[in-house]
Amino acid sequence: DKRVTILDISEPREPRTLGSVSANNTVLAISRISDSLIAFGGADKQVTLLDLSEPRKIRTLGSVSANSYIYTISRISDSLIAFGGHDEQVTLLDISNPRKIRTLGSVSAKGWVNAISRISDSLIAFGGDDEQVTFLDVSDSSDPRTLGSVSANSYIYTISRISDSLIAFGGADKQVTLLDVSNPRKPQILGSVSAKESVEAISRISDNLIAFGGRDEQVTLLDISNPRKI
């Protein structure tokens, strides 16, 4: 519907619409920055920041243009976000002043970037059509550096941080894979579990439990207390 809509979920069985704001085109990515700030983007080829301090009166604060469609936005800190998409790169933005967003550094990818996940304030992971998970050192946000990567079996659609040393990813290979990232220069695959179709979303529930779903039209819970034996 080309809008961003805010819901009150204090009563999960009866969510209520509080407010909404028009977007210029289809919205493909939304990321929470803080309790009162979110970022979104998509086919409008820009990242826009919204003030949610009054959810019934959502205000646009600032925006910055991108080179193409945006598929993913990730909060790194209160003042730094990363986005990627069809332009085949990961770009860092300084949002310390939401009304004057500044583009910092970027790094090229080998295909569309479908997923970015914060691991720590200085480390992020991304992946997409390049069929690999790549780790970036963003301690110097003006000059992000590639640390290491691990090959996947197909396109990556989702990456989720479980802990400082563990992430999960999935995609067109129809499986969820756990990855030890304690040494991001040499990430190690721990274990994986098959899904019925492509995996398009993974979410951490706790240190020992994750949920995933996708084109199989169901939500599945995984016990990851032993990552090598999912």
Side-chain angles (χ1 to χ4, degrees):
D1 62 354
K2 301 179 182 180
R3 301 185 68 83
V4 175
T5 301
I6 306 303
L7 298 178
D8 177 352
I9 57 170
S10 55
E11 292 291 339
R13 296 181 185 277
E14 296 182 4
R16 295 183 302 116
T17 299
L18 296 179
S20 67
V21 63
S22 295
N24 296 321
N25 211 317
T26 303
V27 177
L28 301 173
I30 299 176
S31 179
R32 175 191 179 276
I33 310 303
S34 69
D35 287 347
S36 61
L37 186 66
I38 64 172
F40 77 90
D44 60 351
K45 302 179 184 179
Q46 62 182 18
V47 176
T48 301
L49 297 181
L50 296 181
D51 178 357
L52 304 184
S53 54
E54 295 183 61
R56 298 181 186 278
K57 297 180 180 180
I58 305 168
R59 294 184 301 126
T60 299
L61 296 177
S63 63
V64 64
S65 295
N67 296 322
S68 191
Y69 290 1
I70 294 168
Y71 296 149
T72 179
I73 303 171
S74 180
R75 174 194 178 277
I76 300 171
S77 69
D78 286 343
S79 61
L80 186 66
I81 64 175
F83 75 89
H86 199 270
D87 62 353
E88 301 185 1
Q89 63 182 18
V90 174
T91 301
L92 301 178
L93 297 179
D94 176 356
I95 59 167
S96 54
N97 183 346
R99 297 183 184 278
K100 294 182 180 180
I101 306 168
R102 294 191 305 119
T103 301
L104 298 173
S106 64
V107 64
S108 296
K110 297 177 181 178
W112 298 353
V113 177
N114 298 324
I116 300 173
S117 180
R118 173 194 178 275
I119 298 171
S120 69
D121 286 349
S122 61
L123 183 66
I124 64 175
F126 74 89
D129 289 9
D130 58 355
E131 302 185 6
Q132 63 182 20
V133 178
T134 300
F135 297 89
L136 288 184
D137 176 354
V138 295
S139 54
D140 180 354
S141 53
S142 63
D143 185 26
R145 295 181 299 113
T146 300
L147 296 178
S149 63
V150 64
S151 295
N153 296 319
S154 190
Y155 296 168
I156 293 170
Y157 296 147
T158 179
I159 303 172
S160 181
R161 175 190 180 276
I162 311 303
S163 69
D164 287 346
S165 60
L166 185 67
I167 66 171
F169 70 88
D173 61 351
K174 302 180 183 180
Q175 61 182 17
V176 174
T177 300
L178 296 181
L179 199 59
D180 178 352
V181 297
S182 53
N183 181 354
R185 296 182 185 278
K186 295 182 179 180
Q188 300 290 322
I189 291 176
L190 298 177
S192 63
V193 64
S194 296
K196 295 177 181 178
E197 295 290 344
S198 296
V199 176
E200 299 186 345
I202 300 172
S203 182
R204 174 190 181 276
I205 309 301
S206 70
D207 286 346
N208 297 323
L209 186 65
I210 62 175
F212 74 90
R215 297 182 185 176
D216 60 354
E217 301 180 0
Q218 63 183 25
V219 176
T220 302
L221 298 179
L222 286 183
D223 176 356
I224 58 168
S225 53
N226 184 345
R228 297 184 183 276
K229 295 181 180 180
I230 308 172

